[in-house]
């Protein structure tokens, strides 16, 4: 069991270290009521006190909501917290009134009140739900959970495991959540990075398996700002979906899978480690050392020989943008942050210098605006194709999330990337995405490093 000293420096087992834990299952039967409340959860290693969190049903992560593709999701969210909240259903193409963005699609749910969410889940895949009022605070306190939409004909696997990756910024003595959510250093740099890394709320998650077991691993990055570089050890795997949307064909996972905040990846993996060994989902640490994110201790064998390459998942409805011939061009320039070159930006109709902006908690800007604007980035017609150039002039990466619609990355002048809802744009990098404005409403577009969004990196588009 890690000591207090090792807890500060490293919070998961290094490859080769025996890790104990309990088997978890992705399946969960959530009630029709989803209560957001305070709770006490043991996140840190033994010997530490329990951590006071905000969680759905008092859990970290919240209960898995699991439905079949095309079924309705109905949840009455009850707010037992001391401040208003709302719930966003990340990656789901919901009706705009159900998107859960307080101040844009609904009023926040006051303490003691409730809100009924009711929508169809049109796309199979791995999604998640999380707070979307003061999200840089509420998600960091634990308000998130998995939303799994099952295919009518799921792939042939032995086990289906949902793995929610997160990090927590805790006081190293009391294990309480650090409440410096508005800390200028974090807001102006890479965002709030935790010192305790967990999977499904456990720092040492271990899932026993047999050799040649075939697993579907549904990975969800629920952290506020941490980017997870992941690899497989003792596992042979393929990426079959990104952000819930199936790939045209499984792609062998032979290198690093980079999972930015809010992104998801579905993997199908076969256990190649032999009995007595431990396979791992590996996280590459800051010092490039491999660290076990999830351990898979192996005992026995489920088959005598390895299986064939898995088939592709069935495609979801709609093909996204395929032609740029009539696409409306848009441009979003991201500026600001520490070591940036943003001298000034507009806030409240007034041009302020960077120091004055920082004093007001604004460190970033989209197209020279350091706040969510009253007018949209674009007013789009239903069915209109769009190509959006994203220019990152900052020295930090940003995970850009589009609500209500999916996009493809444009490469070499063609929309050829997989369908996604969140794109990681590296420092000093320019990327381009294309999408069809096929869902009416007001849709947020923001950085999912959540403290970046709060301090200037939010805009929206209107589709009518």
């Amino acid at each position: 069991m890690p000591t207090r000293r090792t807890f500060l420096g490293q919070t998961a087992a290094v490859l080769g270290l025996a890790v104990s834990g309990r088997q978890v299952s992705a399946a969960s039967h959530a009630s029709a009521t989803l209560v957001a409340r305070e709770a006490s959860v043991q996140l840190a290693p033994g010997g530490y006190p329990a951590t006071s969190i905000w969680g759905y049903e008092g859990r970290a992560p919240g209960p898995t909501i699991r439905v079949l593709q095309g079924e309705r999701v109905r949840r009455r969210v009850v707010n037992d917290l001391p401040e208003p909240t709302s719930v966003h259903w990340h990656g789901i193409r919901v009706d705009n009134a159900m998107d859960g963005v307080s101040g844009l699609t609904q009023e926040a749910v006051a303490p003691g009140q409730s809100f009924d969410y009711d929508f169809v889940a049109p796309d199979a895949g791995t999604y998640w739900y999380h707070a979307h009022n003061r999200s840089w605070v509420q998600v960091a306190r634990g308000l998130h959970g998995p939303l799994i939409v099952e295919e009518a004909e799921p792939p042939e696997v032995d086990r289906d495991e949902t793995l929610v990756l997160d990090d927590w910024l805790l006081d190293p003595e009391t294990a309480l959540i650090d409440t410096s959510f508005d800390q200028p250093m974090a807001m102006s740099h890479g965002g709030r990075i935790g010192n305790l890394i967990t999977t499904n709320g456990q720092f040492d998650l271990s899932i026993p398996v047999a050799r040649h077991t075939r697993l579907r691993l549904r990975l969800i990055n629920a952290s506020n700002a941490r980017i997870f570089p992941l690899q497989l050890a003792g596992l042979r795997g393929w990426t079959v979906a990104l952000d819930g949307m199936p790939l045209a064909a499984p792609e062998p996972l032979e290198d690093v899978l980079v999972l930015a905040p809010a992104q998801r990846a579905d993997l199908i993996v076969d256990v190649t480690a032999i009995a007595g060994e431990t396979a791992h989902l590996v996280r590459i640490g800051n010092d490039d050392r491999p660290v076990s994110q999830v351990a898979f201790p192996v005992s026995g064998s489920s088959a005598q020989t390895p299986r064939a390459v898995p088939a592709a998942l069935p495609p979801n409805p709609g093909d996204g943008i395929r032609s740029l011939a009539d696409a409306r061009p848009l441009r979003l320039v991201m500026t600001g942050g520490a070591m940036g070159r943003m001298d000034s930006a507009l806030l409240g109709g007034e041009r302020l210098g960077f120091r004055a902006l920082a004093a007001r908690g604004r460190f970033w800007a989209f197209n020279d605006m350091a706040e969510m604007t009253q007018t949209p980035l674009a007013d789009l017609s239903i069915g209109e194709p769009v190509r959006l150039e994203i220019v990152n002039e900052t020295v930090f990466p940003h995970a850009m999330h589009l609500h209500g619609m999916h996009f493809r990355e444009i490469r070499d002048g063609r929309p050829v990337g997989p369908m996604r809802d969140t794109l990681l744009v590296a420092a000093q990098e320019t990327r381009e995405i294309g999408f069809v404005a096929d869902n009416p409403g007001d849709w947020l577009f923001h950085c999912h490093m959540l403290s970046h969004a709060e301090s200037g990196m939010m805009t929206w588009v209107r589709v009518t």
Side-chain angles (χ1 to χ4, degrees), residues 264-412:
R264 290 89 62 215
D266 282 51
L267 311 180
I268 291 181
V269 303
D270 292 340
V271 178
T272 57
I274 64 174
E277 294 182 341
T278 301
H280 296 269
L281 175 66
V282 176
R283 182 181 78 255
I284 306 302
N286 292 335
D287 56 0
D288 292 330
R289 280 207 313 165
V291 178
S292 179
Q293 184 71 32
V294 181
F296 298 91
V298 182
S299 60
S301 179
S302 65
Q304 295 300 313
T305 58
R307 305 189 199 190
V309 174
L313 297 177
N316 281 323
D319 200 28
I321 191 167
R322 283 304 187 185
S323 172
L324 300 175
D326 300 315
R328 185 198 293 200
L330 299 175
R331 194 167 191 256
L332 185 74
V333 179
M334 305 188 289
T335 54
M339 300 170 285
R341 295 186 298 232
M342 185 176 77
D343 296 325
S344 65
L346 294 170
L347 180 65
E350 181 183 4
R351 180 164 292 279
L352 299 176
F354 187 76
R355 285 181 177 272
L357 290 168
R360 291 163 174 81
R362 303 290 170 165
F363 299 96
W364 312 90
F366 282 171
N367 289 354
D368 206 31
M369 302 294 299
E371 62 181 337
M372 180 82 161
T373 56
Q374 294 297 312
T375 56
L377 173 69
D379 204 327
L380 305 171
S381 300
I382 191 75
E384 183 175 9
V386 178
R387 58 185 303 169
L388 171 59
E389 183 183 36
I390 306 170
V391 182
N392 184 2
E393 294 186 352
T394 81
V395 298
F396 295 96
H398 301 286
M400 296 301 298
H401 171 50
L402 176 64
H403 286 224
M405 293 167 284
H406 298 123
F407 56 77
R408 294 185 187 276
E409 187 172 359
I410 297 172
R411 302 170 187 163
D412 299 321

Side-chain angles (χ1 to χ4, degrees), residues 135-136 186-187 189-193 221 223-227 259-262 364 396-401 422-425 446-458:
S135 58
W136 82 103
M187 290 189 121
H189 286 68
R192 181 183 172 95
I193 303 296
N221 184 350
S223 71
N224 269 44
R226 181 180 293 273
I227 299 169
L259 208 63
W364 312 90
F396 295 96
H398 301 286
M400 296 301 298
H401 171 50
T422 306
L423 178 72
L424 182 62
V425 184
H446 66 102
C447 177
H448 224 282
M449 279 71 169
L450 295 175
S451 56
H452 292 176
E454 168 58 21
S455 54
M457 302 191 100
M458 283 196 290

Side-chain angles (χ1 to χ4, degrees), residues 134-151:
R134 287 172 47 82
S135 58
W136 82 103
V137 173
Q138 295 190 3
V139 174
R141 289 186 179 272
L143 284 171
H144 58 75
L147 173 54
I148 306 302
V149 183
E150 294 183 328
E151 302 88 354

Side-chain angles (χ1 to χ4, degrees), residues 37-39 52-56 58-59 81-83 137-138 141-144 168 177:
R37 62 180 177 86
E38 297 181 72
S52 178
I53 66 156
W54 293 359
Y56 296 111
R59 293 164 55 179
L81 301 171
E83 67 182 44
V137 173
Q138 295 190 3
R141 289 186 179 272
L143 284 171
H144 58 75
W168 305 78
I177 291 176

